[in-house]
């Protein structure tokens, strides 16, 4: 399986109906396959942080077996708007 | 993105030597052999102490930027009395805790026997004040709570 930022982006976008998504391949900074993602999705609304992260984790359950390091930031559309206004 | 602390921490991986002999605060518990990855054993570990963390490497020399971030956050709050388990010492523990928590990565943080999350979540809780609150509920007074009130004391 080709683990690219593009692949992760598409999968997360599809499964989480993301309004906004950023996937960064941070592999050069670490010793092995690593990614950092920002996901903005209405599906996160009303969910505490841990639940949001678990949603992302289960979307990428298979991929995470091959990823060494994974950072994620999960925001609702409202939080994302607020953050952009800062 | 809250990656800058992680990046700075990753740079610290260049440490050549450990920061000093002995432990500076948290009691590193040796994971016992035989069934160290079993859910019974892990159940016991996460219930034994109020604050439990699973790291890659010992706290005085974490072998991973994210594990180091967790250590630094706890240090910022002056949390000294916590249980820390080095998964690199024990592959069974490393696999076991991922299955037990249903969480794919290390570090992992437990507060009051409940899984809180990894480095990202702890960092966000630290930044938004939730960590101070959660610690307060456990009867642990973070020094950052005191610093907020006492800003001129330095």
């Amino acid at each position: 399986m080709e683990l690219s930022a593009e692949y992760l982006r598409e999968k997360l976008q599809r499964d989480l109906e993301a309004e906004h998504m950023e996937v960064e391949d941070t592999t050069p900074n670490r010793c092995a396959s690593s990614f950092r993602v920002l996901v903005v999705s209405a599906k996160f609304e009303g969910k505490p942080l841990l639940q949001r992260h678990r949603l992302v984790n289960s979307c990428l359950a298979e991929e995470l077996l091959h990823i060494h390091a994974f950072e994620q930031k999960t925001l609702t559309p409202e939080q994302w708007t607020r953050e952009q206004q800062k | 993105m809250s990656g800058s602390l992680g990046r700075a921490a990753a740079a610290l991986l260049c440490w050549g030597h450990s920061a000093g002999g002995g432990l500076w605060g948290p009691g590193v518990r040796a994971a016992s052999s035989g069934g160290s990855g079993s859910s019974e054993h892990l159940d016991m570990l996460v219930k034994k102490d109020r604050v439990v963390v699973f790291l890659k490497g010992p706290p005085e020399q974490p072998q991973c930027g994210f594990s180091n971030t967790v250590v630094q956050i706890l240090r910022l709050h002056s949390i000294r009395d916590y249980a820390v388990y080095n998964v690199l010492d024990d592959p069974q523990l490393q696999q076991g805790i991922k299955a037990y928590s249903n969480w794919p990565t290390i570090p992992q943080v437990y507060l009051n026997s409940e899984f809180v999350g990894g480095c990202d979540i702890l960092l966000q809780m630290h930044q938004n004040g939730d960590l101070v609150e959660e610690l307060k509920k456990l009867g642990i007074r973070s020094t950052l709570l005191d610093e907020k009130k006492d800003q001129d004391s330095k």
Side-chain angles (χ1 to χ4, degrees):
Chain A
M1 160 207 318
E2 163 85 35
L3 259 189
S4 65
E6 200 44 51
Y7 173 82
L8 294 184
R9 188 199 319 276
E10 275 172 22
K11 190 157 196 209
L12 284 170
Q13 186 101 44
R14 200 173 54 234
D15 290 0
L16 297 177
E17 292 166 25
E19 201 173 277
H20 179 79
M21 167 91 57
E22 286 171 23
V23 178
E24 190 189 332
D25 186 340
T26 56
T27 305
N29 297 346
R30 315 246 181 249
C31 44
S33 177
S34 313
F35 293 92
R36 175 185 297 136
V37 307
L38 163 67
V39 186
V40 180
S41 166
K43 290 198 166 183
F44 295 143
E45 260 161 58
K47 292 191 167 66
L49 211 43
L50 182 59
Q51 235 179 310
R52 297 182 187 190
H53 285 224
R54 284 204 186 280
L55 208 51
V56 173
N57 287 355
S58 54
C59 169
L60 298 179
E62 165 122 22
E63 291 76 11
L64 281 167
L65 294 175
H66 306 281
I67 291 175
H68 170 76
F70 187 71
E71 294 171 78
Q72 54 169 304
K73 189 159 178 179
T74 49
L75 299 174
T76 60
E78 193 199 327
Q79 286 174 324
W80 175 236
T81 307
R82 258 189 274 143
E83 185 143 315
Q84 288 185 293
Q85 283 164 356
K86 280 187 197 162
Chain B
M1 294 294 281
S2 56
S4 60
L5 182 56
R7 279 197 290 276
L12 291 174
L13 286 175
C14 301
W15 295 340
H17 304 280
S18 88
L23 305 167
W24 44 263
V28 176
R29 305 343 185 215
S32 54
S33 60
S36 60
S38 70
S39 55
E40 294 82 16
H41 180 77
L42 294 169
D43 215 44
M44 188 263 300
L45 291 189
V46 306
K47 289 181 172 148
K48 214 149 59 93
D49 297 277
R50 283 175 301 176
V51 181
V52 180
V53 304
F54 296 87
L55 300 177
K56 284 190 178 177
E60 62 273 16
Q61 196 178 16
Q63 295 301 299
C64 150
F66 302 124
S67 287
N68 183 53
T69 298
V70 167
V71 169
Q72 296 312 321
I73 290 173
L74 293 176
R75 177 193 262 166
L76 279 176
H77 290 262
S78 300
I79 308 303
R80 300 201 189 287
D81 186 23
Y82 62 94
V84 54
Y85 300 95
N86 177 3
V87 303
L88 296 183
D89 275 345
D90 186 346
Q92 277 190 325
L93 181 68
Q94 184 165 8
Q95 291 319 305
I97 192 62
K98 288 182 190 179
Y100 180 83
S101 309
N102 189 21
W103 189 261
T105 49
I106 307 290
Q108 296 191 8
V109 179
Y110 277 79
L111 290 181
N112 202 27
S113 313
E114 261 181 49
F115 180 62
V116 165
C119 164
D120 285 340
I121 291 180
L122 197 73
L123 187 56
Q124 284 181 62
M125 286 174 69
H126 163 68
Q127 288 170 336
N128 67 18
D130 282 353
L131 184 55
V132 168
E133 285 309 306
E134 289 302 312
L135 291 171
K136 214 159 73 163
K137 286 185 204 167
L138 296 184
I140 300 174
R141 191 180 177 81
S142 159
T143 49
L144 292 188
L145 185 61
D146 295 329
E147 275 176 23
K148 258 196 275 181
K149 296 178 179 172
D150 253 8
Q151 268 163 17
D152 301 317
S153 67
K154 293 186 181 147

